[in-house]
Amino acid sequence: MVISRQYKFVFVELPLTATTAISKELREMYDGEPFLHKHATYRRFLRTASPEIKTYTPVSNIRIPLDQAVSMYFKYKNDKELGDLMLTGKNKKQNGTSLRLYLSTRRHKTRAAYVLNNNATFEQYFFKFHRWPYSDWSVLDHKKFEHLIRFEHLAEDYKKVFTTIGVPVRRDLPAANKTPGREKTFWSYYSTDKAKRHAKFIFGPYMRYWGYEFPKEWNNISEPWHAQFLFNLLNIPRKFYWKYLM
């Protein structure tokens, strides 16, 4: 999380949405300073911040989750840092023993090991580790934010949003933390009807929540009837965890 006392904004860093590039730019160019930790939720911010800072304008990102899934697969497959994590169990960029960090490290280590040890394809990885309708903690507060940056229009939205809230944006957003080894558009990795149907089950409810659409070429693939029900049901314990335990 990054705040600016000069321009009175708080940038909420939702994981896997290009927040690394934006937070680095805000810190280096526009009086940004770290607040709490990198992926602190807005709820945590409101519990911790002073009355004045709570009035700062919140900004955050969102991203199509199908794109996230492909990017994470290639990070597991080609990213040296995650390879080190698989072998050592240590994350060089984060310290601490919180439950959140422990579970995150364990999950990444398991997935990286599977991809590397089995030379797994994206589809093999996708079916093994994506089993329930997807959600993230953007469903807590992000719809209340007046300003959201969509990953799909990253450079354009970044400039538009921060200019609107009064930041004198002086240059285009530099690229950072690119996913190694990925060459095609993310849609093309869901190449079979089986993968497309599973993608609609996993990501369909979240896509609707944020107004995303599947390609027209997928119209012959039906979303399983129980996807929305499970999304709503699973969000009950998820929201409790995101609100009170993260």
Side-chain angles (χ1 to χ4, degrees):
M1 182 173 289
V2 175
I3 66 169
S4 170
R5 300 177 194 275
Q6 179 177 354
Y7 299 110
K8 300 187 184 306
F9 66 76
V10 51
F11 180 58
V12 182
E13 298 179 80
L14 186 72
L16 304 175
T17 60
T19 56
T20 297
I22 295 176
S23 62
K24 183 175 185 289
E25 185 74 353
L26 296 176
R27 285 184 277 109
E28 291 182 355
M29 299 291 293
Y30 306 109
D31 188 45
E33 60 183 85
F35 191 83
L36 296 175
H37 58 82
K38 180 175 175 63
H39 292 143
T41 66
Y42 190 64
R43 291 294 176 97
R44 177 82 181 276
F45 167 79
L46 292 176
R47 290 198 302 268
T48 308
S50 68
E52 178 187 354
I53 294 177
K54 286 179 184 179
T55 66
Y56 288 5
T57 301
V59 178
S60 193
N61 296 17
I62 55 171
R63 181 181 184 182
I64 293 179
L66 291 88
D67 190 8
Q68 288 185 16
V70 173
S71 287
M72 284 309 303
Y73 164 77
F74 279 101
K75 284 183 181 293
Y76 295 136
K77 188 176 179 67
N78 298 313
D79 192 297
K80 185 179 184 303
E81 183 177 332
L82 280 175
D84 293 341
L85 175 62
M86 184 201 77
L87 294 173
T88 66
K90 297 178 180 179
N91 189 328
K92 295 179 181 179
K93 290 186 178 180
Q94 300 186 72
N95 295 307
T97 57
S98 68
L99 175 63
R100 178 187 62 82
L101 179 58
Y102 169 76
L103 292 175
S104 176
T105 299
R106 184 176 180 182
R107 179 179 68 252
H108 289 315
K109 185 177 180 181
T110 299
R111 295 184 177 191
Y114 173 80
V115 170
L116 294 174
N117 292 339
N118 296 282
N119 193 27
T121 65
F122 170 74
E123 190 166 316
Q124 289 171 326
Y125 157 80
F126 179 51
F127 277 98
K128 183 171 180 64
F129 293 108
H130 292 266
R131 299 180 179 179
W132 302 99
Y134 172 84
S135 190
D136 61 32
W137 48 263
S138 69
V139 301
L140 291 179
D141 295 297
H142 278 46
K143 280 200 172 180
K144 302 173 187 175
F145 297 172
E146 187 176 346
H147 303 287
L148 283 178
I149 297 168
R150 292 193 179 242
F151 183 89
E152 300 73 38
H153 313 289
L154 179 61
E156 178 185 347
D157 282 4
Y158 161 78
K159 183 175 289 188
K160 179 181 177 181
V161 164
F162 282 101
T163 299
T164 299
I165 65 175
V167 178
V169 177
R170 296 188 285 272
R171 66 181 186 182
D172 292 338
L173 180 67
N177 203 24
K178 289 186 175 181
T179 302
R182 179 175 152 179
E183 299 175 352
K184 302 182 290 184
T185 63
F186 67 87
W187 295 111
S188 64
Y189 291 95
Y190 303 87
S191 57
T192 66
D193 283 355
K194 182 180 179 183
K196 291 172 183 176
R197 186 172 294 107
H198 192 60
K200 284 200 167 183
F201 170 67
I202 298 297
F203 300 127
Y206 184 91
M207 296 272 284
R208 272 192 303 280
Y209 184 88
W210 282 115
Y212 287 118
E213 295 182 352
F214 291 97
K216 292 181 180 179
E217 294 78 14
W218 290 31
N219 285 350
N220 63 313
I221 306 296
S222 299
E223 179 182 311
W225 67 268
H226 56 302
Q228 186 67 52
F229 171 77
L230 287 174
F231 176 80
N232 294 338
L233 182 65
L234 291 170
N235 271 352
I236 296 172
R238 287 167 171 171
K239 286 182 176 180
F240 180 87
Y241 173 77
W242 293 326
K243 286 179 182 178
Y244 304 113
L245 301 180
M246 278 188 65

